[in-house]
Amino acid sequence: MSLTGSSPTSRLSSTPSDCSHCSIFPTDDFRHAASYQLATDAKEIAMRIGVIGTGKVGATLGDALGRAGHEVKLGSRHPGDSVGGPPLVDVAAALAAADVVLLAVPPGALGELLAEHAKSLAGKLIIDATNQFGGASANASVQVAAAVPTARYARVFNTLGWENFAEPIFDGEPADLFFSCRAADRPVLEELISAVGLRPAYLGEDKQDVVDGALLLWFSLVQANGGNRRIAFRVLQK
């Protein structure tokens, strides 16, 4: 794995032992075998996405996904007309129109959101981009499972600063983004991560705590590099 940033790069390397058949990155065989039918050419299918939270992370991701051709609505407690980006609507409307829900709300708002909108979230793919700093866990997997048992949980878009979602290219190559989800949802997450301009790096199912390890590593690197947030990761694999 290499670490890449706008300041001098530190490099770590790892070589999987006897795993030439394995890949954490997307493969054509996996895409064709998945339960979601994806386009076989370069064009991705359009998905209906409700992004809940209009801060730096939510707004940046919503704009990138909308520009990639997905149908995005930004859910806010203060809806209105957005300028040059996805429409800004109330949270209920964003959820009602969505097949995929991306949570990018402050930690203190998450519990109330899940309780109030549990019915609308039932059965949907919920992408957890929140970070519960100061809690027992940085991710909201336990809260989501308790409030919406039928939801499909994914952990992604939480390990890099929003600046790297806005500008995901380093030295001409996209940075890697670690994520965890059910195997059946992997192609959807890969498509959304790629739509933002990053390279998806799958860690497996129920690996949200491993994903969060990259969050801690990223923060440590930012602090060690004088607050430079333009730092990201790249995995090297043979």
Side-chain angles (χ1 to χ4, degrees):
M1 178 177 72
S2 66
L3 309 176
T4 184
S6 56
S7 58
T9 301
S10 300
R11 181 173 295 270
L12 302 175
S13 63
S14 61
T15 304
S17 59
D18 192 26
C19 195
S20 59
H21 64 289
C22 303
S23 178
I24 65 173
F25 302 114
T27 64
D28 288 338
D29 288 343
F30 187 93
R31 287 183 180 277
H32 290 305
S35 60
Y36 287 87
Q37 184 176 357
L38 300 178
T40 55
D41 58 10
K43 296 176 63 177
E44 289 88 1
I45 58 174
M47 284 180 271
R48 298 184 300 175
I49 305 167
V51 177
I52 311 304
T54 56
K56 292 290 190 180
V57 172
T60 301
L61 292 174
D63 185 59
L65 294 171
R67 284 188 282 105
H70 296 291
E71 184 181 327
V72 178
K73 287 184 171 61
L74 295 177
S76 172
R77 292 173 295 178
H78 307 288
D81 294 330
S82 59
V83 179
L88 194 62
V89 301
D90 63 49
V91 173
L95 294 177
D99 300 312
V100 178
V101 176
L102 193 154
L103 300 179
V105 298
L110 184 62
E112 181 180 351
L113 172 72
L114 293 173
E116 182 177 351
H117 299 284
K119 186 175 181 180
S120 297
L121 291 166
K124 295 184 177 181
L125 174 57
I126 296 180
I127 296 174
D128 178 14
T130 69
N131 283 318
Q132 316 296 305
F133 295 116
S137 174
N139 64 74
S141 60
V142 173
Q143 296 97 308
V144 171
V148 197
T150 60
R152 291 136 46 215
Y153 178 84
R155 181 61 161 160
V156 69
F157 295 123
N158 70 299
T159 56
L160 301 176
W162 67 271
E163 301 91 338
N164 301 308
F165 302 146
E167 298 181 51
I169 304 301
F170 291 77
D171 297 327
E173 297 289 338
D176 291 340
L177 189 67
F178 301 112
F179 73 103
S180 173
C181 66
R182 296 181 183 182
D185 290 320
R186 177 179 174 180
V188 173
L189 272 295
E190 288 176 343
E191 189 166 281
L192 297 180
I193 294 168
S194 298
V196 174
L198 294 155
R199 187 170 70 150
Y202 184 57
L203 299 185
E205 186 172 347
D206 294 327
K207 299 294 185 180
Q208 53 267 17
D209 291 332
V210 180
V211 174
D212 290 346
L215 167 68
L216 298 177
L217 176 59
W218 184 81
F219 269 113
S220 295
L221 287 166
V222 169
Q223 292 171 348
N225 284 271
N228 174 26
R229 291 168 58 89
R230 290 288 285 136
I231 291 175
F233 305 107
R234 188 171 295 140
V235 176
L236 307 179
Q237 178 175 308
K238 290 185 178 181

